[in-house]
Amino acid sequence: MTKILIVNPNRDTDMEAVILANARKCAPRDTEVDAKSVPSAPLFIENYVDEIVAGTGMLELIEKEEANYDAFIIACHSDVNMDALREKTSKPVIGIGQASLHVASMLGHSFSVIQTTRHSVPMKEDMIRKYGLWERCASVRSVPGDDPTVENMIKAAGEAVEEDGAEVIVLGCAGLAGQEGVIQDALGVPVVDGVACAVFLAAGLVRCGLTVSKRRKYNPQ
Amino acid sequence: MTKILIVNPNRDTDMEAVILANARKCAPRDTEVDAKSVPSAPLFIENYVDEIVAGTGMLELIEKEEANYDAFIIACHSDVNMDALREKTSKPVIGIGQASLHVASMLGHSFSVIQTTRHSVPMKEDMIRKYGLWERCASVRSVPGDDPTVENMIKAAGEAVEEDGAEVIVLGCAGLAGQEGVIQDALGVPVVDGVACAVFLAAGLVRCGLTVSKRRKYNPQ
Amino acid sequence: MTKILIVNPNRDTDMEAVILANARKCAPRDTEVDAKSVPSAPLFIENYVDEIVAGTGMLELIEKEEANYDAFIIACHSDVNMDALREKTSKPVIGIGQASLHVASMLGHSFSVIQTTRHSVPMKEDMIRKYGLWERCASVRSVPGDDPTVENMIKAAGEAVEEDGAEVIVLGCAGLAGQEGVIQDALGVPVVDGVACAVFLAAGLVRCGLTVSKRRKYNPQ
Amino acid sequence: MTKILIVNPNRDTDMEAVILANARKCAPRDTEVDAKSVPSAPLFIENYVDEIVAGTGMLELIEKEEANYDAFIIACHSDVNMDALREKTSKPVIGIGQASLHVASMLGHSFSVIQTTRHSVPMKEDMIRKYGLWERCASVRSVPGDDPTVENMIKAAGEAVEEDGAEVIVLGCAGLAGQEGVIQDALGVPVVDGVACAVFLAAGLVRCGLTVSKRRKYNPQ
Amino acid sequence: MTKILIVNPNRDTDMEAVILANARKCAPRDTEVDAKSVPSAPLFIENYVDEIVAGTGMLELIEKEEANYDAFIIACHSDVNMDALREKTSKPVIGIGQASLHVASMLGHSFSVIQTTRHSVPMKEDMIRKYGLWERCASVRSVPGDDPTVENMIKAAGEAVEEDGAEVIVLGCAGLAGQEGVIQDALGVPVVDGVACAVFLAAGLVRCGLTVSKRRKYNPQ
Amino acid sequence: MTKILIVNPNRDTDMEAVILANARKCAPRDTEVDAKSVPSAPLFIENYVDEIVAGTGMLELIEKEEANYDAFIIACHSDVNMDALREKTSKPVIGIGQASLHVASMLGHSFSVIQTTRHSVPMKEDMIRKYGLWERCASVRSVPGDDPTVENMIKAAGEAVEEDGAEVIVLGCAGLAGQEGVIQDALGVPVVDGVACAVFLAAGLVRCGLTVSKRRKYNPQ
């Protein structure tokens, strides 16, 4: 039995429940998935300062739980503090941003990411470039009025498909998990939720005996 | 139960057996994996002409088996005729080249691919660029004397790690499936076999209700 | 006398006649140009499956005619099966897509390609990236309603010039050969037909003793 | 009088003294430069975990000193937590990594960065890509044995010049400040220290009434 | 006292006065700034032919004044003949285009350049690519009717911010020096004038003992 | 009869004769090729200053001869002053650098350029980037000792093929015209001389009614 822990880098337990439900729905049968929030974290991660505030608690959580799980998932689409967690443990750590962007790249000519806030668009563009996936990115858009209702998600995603040529849509926030079905039905293109992707990727890595390289980048010794 | 068919685009049944064994070892418990060769294909796919020769049989195979499986895998690291198969069916088609390159990108700063022949290096470079993953590619190397023994694989992969800064190694041919463990032990970096990755990716996509976008690229109507 | 064969990768003889007429109009006086269709090919090449269907016949044609010509041109703007034909013969093989894109790059700051169908835009974008010419590409557009009348071609090309900053237009299909003059007159920018360009390029290569490199990529031995 | 505070993101006071001395040597006459360490930070910043550990103290320092200075400099060549500090204050925040890489880009065809440790090379490569300066980067190298003596710095920098074609050298660590003169004399190419560059850039920005844009990226409201 | 000469590559003395006034306003107190026009140059530099016409006089001016100044600035946003001047002298030569683009890159996620004429947009795009800063460029726009009034500048810059996502604006012509304040006030984003930036950069380089590399590119011996 | 003038941007008449002989050998039968040197130019173009010195004479030559020729070729592999000449005339102007790099890109997976001097390598790298062909460039190398004997050319080109993976070689100087055959025989890869390529390209453009776009970049009105 593969055991995966979802690290929720904020302390909103409603969001934790949404994420966990979606994760379990998509997990292989031989995989057990738990989720834990970080008590000292901000209620929601919304900016660069929040990332620092959440950091210490995330490190403590992974230290405490390292022996109890086979792999870890960071349930924030900005993959906050992923490099530090990968440094801390030698078990696989997968960010849901990374997972969703790579899966989306495999499903069509180009993808667009839909963010819940306008100010987070540049940060997400940086992240896509960091992962080397810029060429397959059609656009990063945010929802009207920074209000991620299903209607607004469909509106922004629809514009990405019609105007930017996106063939795949990526949900830009962990809290949107579960919306993928209705948007997919409305637009007729694949809609990718990172939590689901991270779960089957992490489980697959464990099954194949793969983990993150400790050669140089994540090995400070 | 998710059912996956591995399309072996050549007619070498020994290779088919090696591939299938590795695929089953890494498949989630709720997934059934079969493999079928293409009788009219070349014994081995080795170049661009072989890709055409294998094409018609691959299309026939997928047409015949479309109703019997939930997803298809192309078991050649060049992802031969993947675009055409994606056009033919609306079920997920994953190439083992694509699968391994995206998984490798998630496991470290940069990856190198080890090819079994010197002449196939430019083709693989084209493929990495096509998938938009060039920035994370440290190098594409081939084994000494075009002879992919385990020793030669370790030699070429070791040079990729030491000289090119690769933090992850990708096996550049389906027929190398099963060698990943011994190379990984020898070099201390993750070694990625595309067959294994394609299996857990395809199974994950099916479980999440995701498939390849039919918006424009794979929809000629 | 340099002898060039235009390989028409479909079996539409009207299209063959249009292509040949344009080719001869632009050929140097010391060059003889013929065109041959592929009887087993689709009526028109429209997608990835068609490319496979046309492949075997194209290989047979080039094998049969290799001794009779000094150079070969593939008369489909997607350069279908060009890699395989270059592998098959050591004489120059030029695709009209490749020829038109490189000539367009030399004639101005940036070019746009006008496709006859909306679904073929992603494929053409892939091709431009494959040739390493993405930086000079202003856009790939398709004609309104997938209906390539002269009026629609002028409309789409005009938008490329006005909105995307294109300074040169490339015709995205062999069957458009002959339209370049009227579009050029309407818009006041160079309009490039790949058939014409491929003819003078192929003739020039032969005259200079140049051919495609058989070093690695096209030399599977 | 322009007042600049150098934020030393570790708590090594010897290093603080070296940095401050070099900063003052290069400051314009109408500029006053101070330096403050972060008491809760690691002794040296060496990896991604250290970056989180230093974060809270850096935020506190900038909050406390915001009214007392016109601009802030982060004295770690990885520009640790620069995004968060830019979010926190509307006064200019310049990282010495950023400053040195841009100045180096203006001084020659290409630059190489010399790191003090082998494991930090991938992180620095990520940073150069993040700033969009990859095209002008000849290489990122580390010193032999992770031992940044002057001799080893000259050896690594010399190889960058001879083998990688670097025309400018960038010191990859704040603690190397002051070594630039001797390496420059030894190799005959400009050697750039980020502390010095950040000082004259920050002073210049203040004098011109320029600061970091708060349009979207650094404005979470 | 650092002495800087602004080379005005045209012979419009009104423009020279505007440039010099802005330069002195932003110069550090220990820096003396002069400006000299090129008598044999065109009245305004407007195209590639003008660049050649101005060239000889620029070379003569720098030869004559080399001993009298510590650094030189080219006061045309196209950095006309900068490579030749850098070859001619071993003292620092900074173009205002280069200076403004690098400073803008440090001040936000992406920048847009506003040109005074529509035909100069492609040339400026080439320049941004030459400096390796394309990734951080949101757009190059020109003012309505090629008429650079303050109103038109604000209109074009405002569209760059709203439609292209620019977080920083760069003035695309030396003659616009002095407009930065009013545009900045109108739009709420930093507006960068190259003359001011080049002055504090050149002064900083001299103070730090840095100059342009004479290793290969600017050393024809 | 198509009439082409080769503009030799220096005043070495021996070099002019070599260039003209090679050009005529490769010209189509219906094309007449002349060559004219620029009396006021440097003996050889060797650096950025020389480019300015040659400029005025080149502009005068093209003005004087515009009515007498159908197309113009710049016989310096740096394409000196090509933008200005394209601005001056509406007839096609082709640089031999541009011509050779595009033809080489069509003949194989990647090309290397062999320069006659070490200091000119960065300039040629800039040029390849300017034309947007960087992705297909394996390397730019210079000959040992800056001495372009046939032996040294074969040595540098051979290293490009063996070590950098070049499949095509480009001669980096007009004065090397005529060496292509012997290097090609020695190495077994295509060797491209820009003079020959520019002749058949220019003749082809004239025959097809194509010229350089005067839309924006080369149209200062």
Side-chain angles (χ1 to χ4, degrees):
Chain A
M1 182 65 73
T2 302
K3 294 184 67 184
I4 295 173
L5 178 63
I6 298 177
V7 177
N8 179 29
N10 57 50
R11 59 183 162 79
D12 185 64
T13 48
D14 288 353
M15 192 160 155
E16 182 191 310
V18 166
I19 290 169
L20 186 56
N22 220 48
R24 285 184 172 158
K25 211 175 57 189
C26 297
R29 217 182 301 163
D30 48 1
T31 305
E32 195 182 299
V33 185
D34 292 332
K36 289 189 200 297
S37 296
V38 173
S40 59
L43 185 58
F44 294 109
I45 298 273
E46 294 192 271
N47 52 48
Y48 294 110
V49 168
D50 288 347
E51 185 166 349
I52 292 179
V53 177
T56 312
M58 292 175 75
L59 288 169
E60 286 166 2
L61 181 60
I62 216 157
E63 191 160 39
K64 187 177 146 207
E65 301 289 354
E66 194 179 13
N68 304 325
Y69 292 93
D70 301 303
F72 300 88
I73 289 170
I74 300 174
C76 170
H77 203 266
S78 311
D79 295 351
V80 289
N81 297 310
M82 186 177 82
D83 286 330
L85 265 60
R86 289 181 154 202
E87 208 171 65
K88 192 81 180 173
T89 176
S90 59
K91 292 188 173 167
V93 176
I94 297 289
I96 67 165
Q98 180 187 50
S100 63
L101 295 169
H102 278 284
V103 168
S105 298
M106 280 184 263
L107 296 182
H109 185 62
S110 62
F111 61 82
S112 285
V113 184
I114 311 300
Q115 295 293 108
T116 58
T117 60
R118 182 175 157 283
H119 83 84
S120 62
V121 171
M123 174 273 294
K124 196 56 56 83
E125 290 180 355
D126 280 353
M127 199 178 96
I128 297 167
R129 286 190 192 276
K130 181 181 173 185
Y131 295 153
L133 295 171
W134 189 251
E135 275 190 28
R136 288 297 163 191
C137 178
S139 59
V140 181
R141 283 180 174 256
S142 61
V143 290
D146 287 4
D147 183 15
T149 60
V150 170
E151 291 68 33
N152 280 345
M153 286 296 295
I154 290 173
K155 186 170 190 307
E159 288 168 3
V161 171
E162 293 301 330
E163 295 171 27
D164 309 332
E167 305 213 344
V168 181
I169 295 296
V170 175
L171 301 180
C173 176
L176 301 168
Q179 282 198 17
E180 60 273 24
V182 59
I183 305 172
Q184 194 162 293
D185 290 348
L187 298 177
V189 299
V191 177
V192 177
D193 164 50
V195 178
C197 298
V199 169
F200 70 70
L201 279 165
L205 294 177
V206 172
R207 218 177 297 111
C208 295
L210 285 168
T211 188
V212 173
S213 181
K214 301 292 274 191
R215 176 76 191 170
R216 286 189 303 167
K217 189 176 190 172
Y218 299 119
N219 180 7
Q221 270 71 47
Chain B
M1 184 64 73
T2 302
K3 294 185 66 184
I4 294 173
L5 178 62
I6 297 177
V7 177
N8 179 28
N10 57 50
R11 57 182 165 77
D12 185 64
T13 46
D14 287 355
M15 191 159 155
E16 182 190 310
V18 166
I19 291 169
L20 185 56
N22 221 47
R24 285 186 171 156
K25 211 174 56 188
C26 297
R29 218 183 299 163
D30 48 1
T31 304
E32 195 182 300
V33 186
D34 293 332
K36 289 189 199 297
S37 296
V38 173
S40 58
L43 185 57
F44 293 109
I45 298 273
E46 294 192 271
N47 53 47
Y48 295 109
V49 169
D50 288 347
E51 184 167 349
I52 292 179
V53 177
T56 313
M58 292 175 76
L59 288 169
E60 286 166 1
L61 181 60
I62 216 156
E63 191 161 38
K64 188 176 146 208
E65 301 289 355
E66 193 180 13
N68 304 326
Y69 291 92
D70 300 304
F72 299 89
I73 288 170
I74 300 174
C76 169
H77 202 266
S78 312
D79 294 350
V80 289
N81 297 309
M82 186 177 81
D83 286 330
L85 264 61
R86 289 180 153 202
E87 209 171 62
K88 192 82 179 173
T89 177
S90 59
K91 292 188 173 166
V93 177
I94 297 291
I96 66 165
Q98 181 185 48
S100 62
L101 294 168
H102 279 284
V103 168
S105 298
M106 280 184 264
L107 296 182
H109 184 63
S110 63
F111 62 81
S112 286
V113 184
I114 310 301
Q115 296 292 108
T116 56
T117 60
R118 184 175 155 283
H119 82 85
S120 63
V121 170
M123 175 272 295
K124 196 54 57 81
E125 290 179 355
D126 280 353
M127 200 177 94
I128 296 166
R129 286 190 190 275
K130 181 181 174 186
Y131 295 153
L133 295 171
W134 189 250
E135 275 191 29
R136 288 298 163 191
C137 178
S139 59
V140 181
R141 284 179 174 256
S142 61
V143 290
D146 288 3
D147 182 15
T149 59
V150 170
E151 292 68 33
N152 281 343
M153 285 297 295
I154 290 172
K155 186 170 190 310
E159 288 168 1
V161 170
E162 293 301 331
E163 294 171 27
D164 309 331
E167 306 214 342
V168 181
I169 294 296
V170 174
L171 302 181
C173 176
L176 301 169
Q179 284 197 15
E180 60 272 25
V182 59
I183 306 172
Q184 194 162 292
D185 291 347
L187 298 176
V189 298
V191 177
V192 178
D193 164 49
V195 178
C197 297
V199 168
F200 71 70
L201 279 165
L205 294 176
V206 172
R207 218 177 298 111
C208 295
L210 286 168
T211 186
V212 173
S213 182
K214 301 292 276 193
R215 176 77 191 170
R216 288 189 303 168
K217 190 175 189 173
Y218 299 120
N219 180 8
Q221 272 70 47
Chain C
M1 184 65 73
T2 301
K3 294 185 67 185
I4 294 174
L5 178 63
I6 297 177
V7 176
N8 179 30
N10 57 50
R11 58 180 163 79
D12 184 65
T13 47
D14 287 355
M15 192 160 155
E16 182 191 309
V18 165
I19 291 169
L20 186 56
N22 221 47
R24 285 185 172 157
K25 210 174 58 190
C26 298
R29 217 183 300 164
D30 48 1
T31 305
E32 193 180 300
V33 185
D34 292 331
K36 289 188 199 298
S37 296
V38 173
S40 59
L43 185 58
F44 293 108
I45 298 274
E46 295 193 271
N47 53 47
Y48 295 110
V49 169
D50 289 347
E51 185 166 349
I52 292 179
V53 177
T56 313
M58 290 175 76
L59 288 169
E60 287 166 2
L61 181 60
I62 215 157
E63 190 161 39
K64 189 177 144 206
E65 301 289 355
E66 193 180 13
N68 305 325
Y69 291 93
D70 300 304
F72 299 89
I73 288 170
I74 300 174
C76 169
H77 202 267
S78 311
D79 295 350
V80 288
N81 297 310
M82 186 177 82
D83 286 331
L85 265 60
R86 288 180 155 203
E87 208 171 66
K88 193 79 178 175
T89 176
S90 59
K91 292 187 173 168
V93 176
I94 297 290
I96 67 165
Q98 182 186 48
S100 63
L101 295 168
H102 278 284
V103 167
S105 298
M106 280 184 264
L107 296 182
H109 185 63
S110 63
F111 62 82
S112 285
V113 184
I114 311 301
Q115 295 292 107
T116 57
T117 61
R118 182 174 157 285
H119 82 84
S120 62
V121 170
M123 174 273 294
K124 195 57 55 84
E125 291 179 354
D126 280 353
M127 200 177 96
I128 296 167
R129 286 190 192 277
K130 181 181 173 184
Y131 295 152
L133 295 171
W134 189 250
E135 274 191 28
R136 288 299 163 188
C137 178
S139 59
V140 181
R141 283 179 173 256
S142 61
V143 290
D146 287 5
D147 183 15
T149 59
V150 170
E151 291 68 33
N152 282 344
M153 287 296 296
I154 290 174
K155 186 171 190 310
E159 288 168 3
V161 171
E162 293 300 331
E163 294 171 27
D164 310 331
E167 306 214 343
V168 181
I169 295 296
V170 174
L171 302 180
C173 175
L176 300 169
Q179 282 197 16
E180 60 273 24
V182 59
I183 305 172
Q184 194 162 293
D185 290 348
L187 298 176
V189 298
V191 177
V192 177
D193 164 51
V195 178
C197 297
V199 169
F200 70 69
L201 279 165
L205 294 176
V206 173
R207 217 176 299 112
C208 295
L210 286 168
T211 187
V212 173
S213 180
K214 302 293 276 190
R215 176 78 191 169
R216 286 190 304 168
K217 190 176 190 172
Y218 299 120
N219 180 8
Q221 272 71 44
Chain D
M1 183 65 74
T2 302
K3 293 185 68 186
I4 294 173
L5 178 63
I6 297 178
V7 177
N8 179 28
N10 57 50
R11 56 181 165 80
D12 185 64
T13 47
D14 287 353
M15 192 160 154
E16 183 191 310
V18 165
I19 291 170
L20 186 56
N22 221 46
R24 286 186 171 155
K25 211 175 57 188
C26 298
R29 219 182 300 162
D30 48 1
T31 305
E32 194 181 300
V33 186
D34 292 332
K36 288 188 199 298
S37 296
V38 173
S40 59
L43 185 58
F44 294 108
I45 297 273
E46 295 191 272
N47 54 47
Y48 295 110
V49 169
D50 289 346
E51 184 166 350
I52 292 179
V53 177
T56 312
M58 291 174 75
L59 289 169
E60 287 165 2
L61 181 60
I62 215 156
E63 191 160 40
K64 188 176 145 208
E65 301 289 355
E66 194 180 12
N68 305 325
Y69 291 93
D70 300 303
F72 300 89
I73 288 170
I74 300 174
C76 169
H77 203 267
S78 312
D79 294 350
V80 289
N81 297 309
M82 186 177 80
D83 286 330
L85 264 61
R86 288 179 155 204
E87 209 172 63
K88 193 79 178 173
T89 177
S90 59
K91 292 188 174 168
V93 176
I94 297 290
I96 67 164
Q98 182 186 48
S100 63
L101 294 168
H102 278 284
V103 167
S105 298
M106 280 184 263
L107 297 183
H109 184 64
S110 63
F111 61 81
S112 285
V113 184
I114 310 302
Q115 296 292 108
T116 56
T117 61
R118 182 174 157 284
H119 82 85
S120 63
V121 170
M123 175 272 294
K124 196 54 57 81
E125 291 180 356
D126 280 353
M127 199 177 95
I128 296 167
R129 286 190 190 276
K130 182 181 174 186
Y131 295 152
L133 296 172
W134 189 250
E135 275 190 29
R136 288 297 162 191
C137 178
S139 60
V140 181
R141 284 180 174 256
S142 60
V143 290
D146 287 3
D147 183 15
T149 58
V150 170
E151 292 67 35
N152 281 345
M153 286 297 295
I154 290 173
K155 186 171 189 308
E159 287 168 3
V161 170
E162 292 302 330
E163 294 171 27
D164 309 331
E167 307 213 341
V168 181
I169 294 298
V170 174
L171 301 181
C173 176
L176 301 169
Q179 283 197 16
E180 60 271 25
V182 59
I183 306 172
Q184 194 162 293
D185 290 348
L187 298 176
V189 298
V191 177
V192 178
D193 164 50
V195 178
C197 297
V199 169
F200 69 71
L201 279 165
L205 294 176
V206 172
R207 218 177 298 111
C208 295
L210 286 167
T211 186
V212 172
S213 182
K214 301 292 276 192
R215 175 78 191 170
R216 287 189 303 168
K217 191 175 189 173
Y218 299 118
N219 180 8
Q221 271 69 47
Chain E
M1 184 65 71
T2 301
K3 294 184 67 185
I4 294 174
L5 178 63
I6 297 178
V7 176
N8 179 29
N10 57 51
R11 58 182 163 78
D12 185 64
T13 46
D14 287 354
M15 191 160 156
E16 182 190 309
V18 165
I19 291 169
L20 186 56
N22 220 47
R24 285 185 172 157
K25 210 174 58 188
C26 298
R29 217 182 302 162
D30 48 1
T31 305
E32 193 181 300
V33 186
D34 293 331
K36 289 189 199 296
S37 296
V38 172
S40 58
L43 185 57
F44 293 109
I45 297 274
E46 293 192 272
N47 53 47
Y48 295 110
V49 169
D50 289 347
E51 185 167 349
I52 292 179
V53 177
T56 312
M58 292 175 76
L59 289 169
E60 287 166 3
L61 181 60
I62 216 157
E63 192 161 38
K64 189 176 145 207
E65 301 288 355
E66 195 179 13
N68 304 326
Y69 291 93
D70 300 304
F72 299 89
I73 289 170
I74 301 174
C76 168
H77 202 266
S78 312
D79 295 350
V80 290
N81 297 309
M82 186 176 82
D83 286 330
L85 265 60
R86 288 180 155 203
E87 209 171 64
K88 192 79 180 173
T89 175
S90 59
K91 292 189 173 166
V93 176
I94 297 290
I96 68 165
Q98 182 187 47
S100 62
L101 295 168
H102 279 284
V103 168
S105 298
M106 279 183 264
L107 296 182
H109 186 62
S110 62
F111 62 81
S112 286
V113 184
I114 311 301
Q115 296 292 108
T116 57
T117 60
R118 183 174 156 283
H119 82 85
S120 63
V121 170
M123 174 273 294
K124 196 57 56 84
E125 291 180 355
D126 280 352
M127 199 178 95
I128 296 167
R129 286 190 192 275
K130 181 181 174 185
Y131 295 152
L133 296 171
W134 189 250
E135 275 191 27
R136 288 298 163 190
C137 178
S139 59
V140 181
R141 283 180 174 255
S142 61
V143 290
D146 287 4
D147 182 16
T149 60
V150 169
E151 292 68 33
N152 281 345
M153 287 296 295
I154 290 173
K155 187 171 189 307
E159 288 169 2
V161 171
E162 292 301 330
E163 295 171 26
D164 309 331
E167 306 213 343
V168 181
I169 295 296
V170 174
L171 301 181
C173 176
L176 301 169
Q179 284 197 15
E180 60 272 24
V182 59
I183 306 173
Q184 194 162 292
D185 290 347
L187 298 176
V189 298
V191 177
V192 178
D193 164 50
V195 177
C197 298
V199 168
F200 70 69
L201 279 165
L205 294 176
V206 172
R207 216 177 298 110
C208 295
L210 286 168
T211 187
V212 172
S213 181
K214 302 292 277 190
R215 176 77 191 169
R216 285 189 304 168
K217 190 176 189 172
Y218 299 119
N219 180 7
Q221 271 71 47
Chain F
M1 184 64 73
T2 301
K3 294 184 68 185
I4 293 173
L5 178 63
I6 297 177
V7 176
N8 179 29
N10 57 50
R11 58 183 163 77
D12 185 63
T13 47
D14 288 353
M15 192 160 155
E16 182 190 309
V18 166
I19 291 170
L20 185 57
N22 221 47
R24 286 186 172 155
K25 209 174 58 187
C26 298
R29 218 183 299 162
D30 48 2
T31 304
E32 195 181 299
V33 186
D34 293 332
K36 289 189 199 297
S37 297
V38 173
S40 59
L43 185 58
F44 293 109
I45 297 273
E46 294 191 273
N47 54 46
Y48 294 110
V49 169
D50 289 346
E51 185 167 348
I52 292 179
V53 177
T56 313
M58 291 175 76
L59 288 169
E60 287 166 2
L61 181 61
I62 215 156
E63 191 162 39
K64 188 176 147 208
E65 301 289 356
E66 194 180 14
N68 304 326
Y69 291 93
D70 300 303
F72 299 88
I73 288 169
I74 301 174
C76 169
H77 202 268
S78 313
D79 295 351
V80 288
N81 297 309
M82 186 177 81
D83 286 330
L85 265 60
R86 288 179 155 204
E87 208 172 62
K88 191 82 179 171
T89 177
S90 59
K91 292 188 173 167
V93 176
I94 297 291
I96 67 165
Q98 182 186 47
S100 62
L101 294 168
H102 279 283
V103 167
S105 298
M106 281 184 264
L107 296 182
H109 185 63
S110 63
F111 62 81
S112 285
V113 184
I114 310 302
Q115 295 292 107
T116 56
T117 60
R118 183 174 157 284
H119 82 85
S120 63
V121 170
M123 175 272 295
K124 196 54 58 82
E125 291 180 355
D126 280 353
M127 200 176 94
I128 296 167
R129 286 190 191 275
K130 182 181 173 185
Y131 294 152
L133 295 171
W134 189 250
E135 275 191 29
R136 288 299 162 189
C137 178
S139 60
V140 181
R141 283 180 174 254
S142 61
V143 290
D146 287 3
D147 182 16
T149 59
V150 170
E151 292 68 33
N152 281 345
M153 286 297 294
I154 290 173
K155 185 170 190 309
E159 288 169 3
V161 170
E162 292 302 329
E163 294 171 27
D164 309 331
E167 306 213 343
V168 181
I169 295 296
V170 174
L171 301 181
C173 175
L176 300 169
Q179 283 197 15
E180 60 271 26
V182 59
I183 305 173
Q184 194 162 291
D185 291 347
L187 298 176
V189 298
V191 177
V192 178
D193 164 50
V195 178
C197 296
V199 168
F200 71 70
L201 279 165
L205 293 176
V206 172
R207 217 176 298 110
C208 295
L210 286 168
T211 186
V212 173
S213 181
K214 301 292 275 192
R215 177 77 192 170
R216 287 190 303 169
K217 190 175 190 173
Y218 299 120
N219 180 7
Q221 271 69 48

